Amino acid sequence: MGGVPLMDYLVVGTLLFGLGLWGALTRTNAIRILMCIELMLNAVNLNLVALNQYLDPGSVEGQIFGLFIIAIAAAEAAIGIGIVLMVVRRRGEVDINKIRLMRG
Amino acid sequence: MTGAAVIFAILAAVVLLGAWRVVTSEQIAHSALFLGLTFVGMAGLFVLLQAPTFALLHVLVYVGAILTVVVFAIMLSDPEELRGAGDLPPGERLRRRLLSPYYGWIPVVVAGVLVAVVLASLAAAQLPRVPLGEPVADDLRAIGRDMFTRYALPFEVASLALLAALIGAIGLTRRNTSEERGRTGRDTAAGAGTGTPDGAGRNGSAAAGRAGTAGAAGEVSR
């Protein structure tokens, strides 16, 4: 990491989070929204590991926190895609605008 | 510019362009592949941060498990989604998209304001340019030791959450036997119906009618 300031990693993480948020808000395909959520979780992981390695390099606490996030991301992907597949099988649709099962 | 800075620039470009294409690709299968590219670029950034164990686990879980599940979901879902959307030229599509409020400029403003605020606060913060010390030499050993001593309870909670999620996913996607029987009956009936042009027309008009009602209801509620 010699020569790269901490700021650069945090800027990349911020931009990645922004892209993921934008995608999750604008896209209507449920699977693509799940992918955008993974992008946001990735951005958080990058921030955690970068801050760990620059500010407290003698410990691995940020990395362990990141590993928990990876585990939760895996759980989220399994549940989310299970729900998407169930909806697709029952309604034949992955576009969240056309799924009006729970409209208020 | 040092070698590390060049590698960082390349990896950052790969990650950000990959993420951009995840959001904007026409075909969702391309989206999934660009997601894989982004994950690999992220692993490169972790290696550059001297966290090779984290990079290894990242590739293992994200590319090996999550991306595979996403590709499975794409292939099992509606094949119409695999085709591109419309035949409008890209500029025109972007213009129309930006003009519509809910899927156009409001999300752009929300995400843009968030990113701008974070970047401004980062610019104001006093951040170190170099690490405050040497990173852990044997990070696999350190992670393993901490994970099973100081963080043993969170580890167990996370493993329970993962187990519950997997059981839930199996329960969600399992085919109910009675529902399955009804569905196969309906499927064969529909298949027989579409065999004749008359039946296909009836199905199509019924679907169009449903879509029209749904659209009208949406207009009213909006």
Side-chain angles (χ1 to χ4, degrees), chain B residues 24-109:
Chain B
T24 59
S25 281
E26 283 300 304
Q27 303 194 17
I28 191 163
H30 293 177
S31 233
L33 296 180
F34 277 112
L35 188 68
L37 181 70
T38 306
F39 288 157
V40 173
M42 292 288 297
L45 284 178
F46 292 140
V47 171
L48 197 62
L49 278 166
Q50 298 184 22
T53 307
F54 194 87
L56 173 75
L57 291 169
H58 184 270
V59 170
L60 208 64
V61 175
Y62 273 101
V63 183
I66 293 181
L67 190 63
T68 313
V69 171
V70 166
V71 171
F72 256 94
I74 291 172
M75 295 303 160
L76 287 175
S77 67
D78 193 0
E80 256 183 51
E81 291 290 329
L82 294 176
R83 291 203 299 267
D87 44 2
L88 288 170
E92 172 66 13
R93 201 163 44 239
L94 184 67
R95 201 181 66 82
R96 284 193 189 180
R97 223 174 225 297
L98 283 181
L99 285 181
S100 78
Y102 295 119
Y103 299 101
W105 56 271
I106 289 180
V108 172
V109 169

Side-chain angles (χ1 to χ4, degrees), chain A residues 1-2 7 16 22 26-27 29 32 38 42 53-54 57-58 61 63-64 67 70 81 83 89 94 97, chain B residues 4 22-23 25 28 31 39 42 48-50 54 58 62 81 103 132 136 146 150-151 173 175 183:
Chain A
M1 36 187 175
M7 171 81 98
L16 190 62
W22 174 55
T26 53
R27 302 299 117 158
N29 187 318
R32 203 184 293 242
E38 299 296 339
N42 255 301
Q53 298 296 77
Y54 275 82
E61 312 217 330
Q63 294 185 49
I64 288 179
L67 290 178
I70 289 181
I81 284 176
I83 291 173
R89 216 167 51 219
V94 287
N97 280 336
Chain B
V22 167
V23 179
S25 281
I28 191 163
S31 233
F39 288 157
M42 292 288 297
L48 197 62
L49 278 166
Q50 298 184 22
F54 194 87
H58 184 270
Y62 273 101
E81 291 290 329
Y103 299 101
L132 306 175
V136 188
D146 279 8
R150 283 187 67 185
Y151 298 98
T173 49
R175 284 171 189 256
R183 169 163 287 276

Side-chain angles (χ1 to χ4, degrees), chain B residues 80-167:
Chain B
E80 256 183 51
E81 291 290 329
L82 294 176
R83 291 203 299 267
D87 44 2
L88 288 170
E92 172 66 13
R93 201 163 44 239
L94 184 67
R95 201 181 66 82
R96 284 193 189 180
R97 223 174 225 297
L98 283 181
L99 285 181
S100 78
Y102 295 119
Y103 299 101
W105 56 271
I106 289 180
V108 172
V109 169
V110 169
V113 165
L114 181 85
V115 168
V117 167
V118 173
L119 287 183
S121 57
L122 280 182
Q126 300 288 325
L127 294 174
R129 292 187 61 82
V130 291
L132 306 175
E134 283 297 307
V136 188
D138 193 352
D139 60 340
L140 176 58
R141 184 186 296 269
I143 287 175
R145 192 192 53 231
D146 279 8
M147 188 79 101
F148 287 101
T149 53
R150 283 187 67 185
Y151 298 98
L153 183 62
F155 175 81
E156 295 297 337
V157 172
S159 59
L160 268 182
L162 202 55
L163 179 69
L166 292 179
I167 293 173

